[in-house]
Amino acid sequence: MKVRNSLKALKKVPGSQIVRRRGRTFVINKLNPRAKARQG
C-alpha cells in the first residue's frame, strides 16, 4: 500500500473504490490489488 498526497490518479484505475475509514481516505481495488493506497 502506498501513502500518497493525491488519490486522483488512482481513482481512474479500473475497479478502484474510494472508502473513508477512521478519518483516512483509502483506495481499494479487487481487480488490481497493487493499486491500494491511503491518504492522510
Side-chain angles (χ1 to χ4, degrees):
M1 181 183 307
K2 298 249 185 340
V3 180
R4 303 191 45 158
N5 289 329
S6 174
L7 301 179
K8 192 177 268 190
L10 284 172
K11 75 180 182 184
K12 294 180 185 154
V13 177
S16 62
Q17 298 173 286
I18 294 194
V19 181
R20 300 212 47 199
R21 291 179 189 159
R22 290 174 248 114
R24 292 183 172 142
T25 309
F26 291 85
V27 174
I28 54 177
N29 195 331
K30 295 266 171 67
L31 296 178
N32 183 8
R34 293 182 67 188
K36 283 200 303 192
R38 87 173 164 84
Q39 183 177 23

